[in-house]
Amino acid sequence: MQASTGTQKREFNKLQKRLRRQVGNAIIDYAMIQDGDKVMVCLSGGKDSYTLLEILRNLQRNAPIDFELVAVNLDQKQPGFPEHVLPEYLSGIGVDYHILERDTYSVVKEKTPAGKTTCALCSRLRRGSLYGYAEEIGATKVALGHHREDILETLFLNMFYGGSLKSMPPKLLSDDGKNLVIRPLAYCREADIAEFARLMAFPIIPCNLCGSQPNLQRQVIKEMLADWEHKHPGRLETMFKAVTNVAPSQLADRELFDFEGLEDKQRRMNAGRIAAFDLLAREA
């Protein structure tokens, strides 16, 4: 029994170190957090945001820079929402927190036609509320718990249903320029996060605002990616690398790449070659 416990502890330590390393690398690669930042961690009560907060707390203790963490939960006034869970948890671990109360639940239910999914409207209302509150409390960064699979799912959602090649960037300036959004879990696998949350025994609050929506487009994409990874292990990692290694000249976006200027570029390149050949001929 002791050997088993020791093995479990070693596996947990390996998992925690891996998540810390991946979050630390993402923070460095995308310059997510600077000295003196006040980082608002959006805490939903799900596995991802709990893990985000815990890993950031861990890194905060050993980071070469000073930054502040504050947890913020948006209470959407969903009937039956366990309001006591997050305050008790956050008070217990000594994290500064705020509970933001906004009745977005009623708005979503009122505005969403019967049979339609609620996630898009819910997400917009939630994001708007949190961004505005970040300004109120003087947060310099807004940290969200999106992980590697979230980023890939969004990529395919936009390709399949939106006709655009875009996803969730690890770091983003909001459209109005008021908020810098960071996703420190960008390099982390969802399976690792789920296992970490299980071992940490976080008091998970399930998101059932929308009820049962089995035909969600994101769920379809999630199942597709899981099937690919099962049949071809490592494919998701390769796909994520592709998101970070874009070749604009090999796509077809006329605003992203100057296709009209290729003839001029060709002439300049050829003129340079001719001049070089002439110089070599004269020297010979």
Side-chain angles (χ1 to χ4, degrees):
M1 188 70 176
Q2 289 181 348
S4 176
T5 301
T7 299
Q8 292 175 358
K9 185 174 182 179
R10 284 194 297 273
E11 290 302 314
F12 172 77
N13 288 338
K14 285 171 58 178
L15 174 60
Q16 185 177 48
K17 288 178 181 178
R18 180 162 65 250
L19 290 171
R20 284 183 56 188
R21 182 179 68 253
Q22 291 169 339
V23 170
N25 287 342
I27 289 173
I28 292 171
D29 289 350
Y30 294 94
M32 291 185 184
I33 300 177
Q34 280 80 37
D35 192 53
D37 268 341
K38 181 175 184 177
V39 181
M40 185 180 101
V41 181
C42 298
L43 193 66
S44 66
K47 69 182 190 313
D48 305 327
S49 59
Y50 274 124
T51 298
L52 173 63
L53 177 62
E54 181 62 22
I55 297 299
L56 286 179
R57 290 178 67 229
N58 202 302
L59 291 175
Q60 184 187 39
R61 291 192 287 268
N62 303 288
I65 59 173
D66 291 323
F67 63 92
E68 181 182 349
L69 293 175
V70 56
V72 173
N73 169 253
L74 175 62
D75 180 353
Q76 299 176 268
K77 294 305 172 185
Q78 173 188 351
F81 180 78
E83 298 179 357
H84 65 285
V85 171
L86 286 171
E88 288 180 2
Y89 173 77
L90 294 167
S91 296
I93 63 174
V95 170
D96 184 23
Y97 72 92
H98 301 274
I99 304 298
L100 176 62
E101 297 185 358
R102 297 285 188 275
D103 188 6
T104 62
Y105 174 85
S106 297
V107 177
V108 169
K109 288 301 184 183
E110 177 185 347
K111 300 295 183 181
T112 304
K116 298 294 183 179
T117 58
T118 60
C119 290
L121 177 58
C122 179
S123 177
R124 287 198 299 273
L125 293 173
R126 187 170 62 247
R127 186 167 57 245
S129 297
L130 290 169
Y131 284 6
Y133 196 65
E135 286 186 79
E136 289 184 32
I137 64 174
T140 55
K141 302 287 171 60
V142 178
L144 303 179
H146 298 119
H147 46 68
R148 184 191 69 176
E149 278 83 346
D150 285 326
I151 292 172
L152 290 176
E153 288 163 15
T154 302
L155 174 69
F156 282 94
L157 278 169
N158 283 317
M159 282 199 294
F160 290 173
Y161 304 107
S164 62
L165 191 61
K166 65 179 182 179
S167 185
M168 296 175 173
K171 187 178 181 181
L172 172 72
L173 180 64
S174 62
D175 291 340
D176 60 9
K178 294 180 179 180
N179 297 101
L180 273 168
V181 179
I182 59 175
R183 296 182 170 98
L185 297 180
Y187 291 171
C188 300
R189 297 169 61 245
E190 183 175 16
D192 284 346
I193 293 170
E195 179 64 5
F196 183 74
R198 184 186 72 82
L199 294 172
M200 289 291 295
F202 293 135
I204 302 297
I205 301 174
C207 176
N208 57 359
L209 171 66
C210 51
S212 177
Q213 299 184 89
N215 296 319
L216 283 176
Q217 293 171 344
R218 182 172 289 275
Q219 184 60 34
V220 173
I221 297 296
K222 181 184 287 290
E223 292 170 0
M224 180 191 76
L225 294 181
D227 183 57
W228 284 358
E229 183 68 12
H230 175 71
K231 292 178 179 177
H232 308 280
R235 174 169 288 189
L236 296 191
E237 183 64 28
T238 302
M239 288 164 53
F240 184 80
K241 288 181 180 177
V243 175
T244 70
N245 186 25
V246 179
S249 65
Q250 307 303 303
L251 297 173
D253 191 322
R254 298 191 302 276
E255 294 186 7
L256 191 63
F257 186 80
D258 182 17
F259 293 100
E260 292 185 5
L262 286 178
E263 286 81 3
D264 289 338
K265 182 178 181 179
Q266 182 186 39
R267 283 190 286 269
R268 290 193 301 271
M269 292 175 68
N270 288 335
R273 291 193 186 96
I274 293 171
F277 291 151
D278 288 345
L279 178 61
L280 290 172
R282 286 196 297 271
E283 290 179 348

